[in-house]
Amino acid sequence: MDNYYMSIAIKLAYKAYRKGEVPVGAVIVKDNKILSTAYNKKNKTKRTIDHAEILAIIKANKKLHDWRLNDCIMYVTLKPCDMCIGALKESRISKIIYASDTSCCSNSIECIQLNDEKINKESSGLLKDFFSSRR
Amino acid sequence: MDNYYMSIAIKLAYKAYRKGEVPVGAVIVKDNKILSTAYNKKNKTKRTIDHAEILAIIKANKKLHDWRLNDCIMYVTLKPCDMCIGALKESRISKIIYASDTSCCSNSIECIQLNDEKINKESSGLLKDFFSSRR
């Protein structure tokens, strides 16, 4: 199922890409059901915090009526930045599974790379495309 | 002026306290003018991210129509958590000045304690009061 949820996150990253946003997508899953999905919108909204992960957290909070996201898993196409790792820790999420690893983060939360080279490469490729098209 | 801006942050922390929220207040200043103010609202909104610092960043983004907060200073009554430090780094804020230091954070952003023992103690006291009243 990890690959399935990550493939949805990848689709969201493509959506961000098409809108001229850094292509990152995120999905939060609880009890094998999708709780929320989001993609990076920072350029459009001009809000510092509007990374895919944060937007997915906000939507999940709304759905659960709780700032706590215990027993949830986040699937995200890129290893999260410090802000998002911090937010995920604050949310008490159980686990983060990421695809590409082009950022660097310090983490004390379980944060593991997806065990699927093809999907991971697709995510990396999408990010490389985006940044090379911007140069 | 540092003490003046921090005294406003302290007032905001009292406002949070009266509403049953962890008492933290934040003020963002640019060119010696207040750009935004906020206090912690996490319990009310049930959003993981609604710390005073994040809410102040969101308001400042709106005011400047920019996700970048270059040349801004944040005054905050409590040393920020990892999420907020991460968000402040993402916002490219110049400096953080905090009062009490009861949390721990790793930071690579200029993050200095206010040089005013009285205000710093007031902030610590407010937090201690809050948590002891909850026990």
Side-chain angles (χ1 to χ4, degrees), chain A residues 54 57 61 66-70 82-94 96 108-109, chain B residues 22 40 42 46-54 78-86 103-105:
Chain A
I54 300 282
I57 289 171
N61 290 150
D66 200 341
W67 60 261
R68 296 169 202 81
L69 303 179
N70 298 77
D82 285 347
M83 170 180 70
C84 293
I85 287 282
L88 288 156
K89 278 195 273 180
E90 289 291 320
S91 78
R92 304 186 186 172
I93 217 161
S94 305
I96 306 165
S108 62
I109 183 171
Chain B
V22 177
N40 174 42
K42 199 177 79 169
K46 302 192 190 304
R47 299 204 320 177
T48 311
I49 63 152
D50 282 355
H51 289 195
E53 300 93 316
I54 301 281
L78 176 67
K79 195 171 177 181
C81 74
D82 286 348
M83 170 180 70
C84 292
I85 286 282
S103 73
C104 58
C105 76

Side-chain angles (χ1 to χ4, degrees), chain A residues 66-111:
Chain A
D66 200 341
W67 60 261
R68 296 169 202 81
L69 303 179
N70 298 77
D71 307 318
C72 293
I73 302 175
M74 165 161 289
Y75 295 85
V76 57
T77 58
L78 177 65
K79 194 171 179 180
C81 73
D82 285 347
M83 170 180 70
C84 293
I85 287 282
L88 288 156
K89 278 195 273 180
E90 289 291 320
S91 78
R92 304 186 186 172
I93 217 161
S94 305
K95 202 200 269 191
I96 306 165
I97 299 177
Y98 64 88
S100 59
D101 181 9
T102 51
S103 73
C104 58
C105 75
S106 59
N107 59 70
S108 62
I109 183 171
E110 193 183 10
C111 186

Side-chain angles (χ1 to χ4, degrees), chain B residues 61-132:
Chain B
N61 291 151
K62 207 171 173 185
K63 220 150 180 184
L64 297 179
H65 308 286
D66 199 342
W67 60 262
R68 296 168 203 82
L69 302 179
N70 299 78
D71 307 317
C72 293
I73 302 175
M74 166 162 287
Y75 295 85
V76 58
T77 56
L78 176 67
K79 195 171 177 181
C81 74
D82 286 348
M83 170 180 70
C84 292
I85 286 282
L88 288 157
K89 280 196 272 182
E90 289 292 319
S91 78
R92 303 187 189 173
I93 216 161
S94 305
K95 203 200 267 191
I96 305 164
I97 299 178
Y98 62 88
S100 59
D101 180 9
T102 52
S103 73
C104 58
C105 76
S106 58
N107 58 71
S108 63
I109 186 171
E110 193 185 7
C111 187
I112 55 179
Q113 191 165 28
L114 184 72
N115 187 20
D116 187 314
E117 217 181 313
K118 195 171 155 279
I119 296 185
N120 296 352
K121 274 189 179 163
E122 188 178 359
S123 173
S124 298
L126 187 60
L127 282 152
K128 275 180 206 148
D129 270 8
F130 178 81
F131 286 109
S132 67

Side-chain angles (χ1 to χ4, degrees), chain A residues 15-29:
Chain A
K15 205 165 174 180
Y17 184 95
R18 289 193 299 272
K19 291 173 181 274
E21 299 279 355
V22 177
V24 181
V27 173
I28 295 178
V29 172

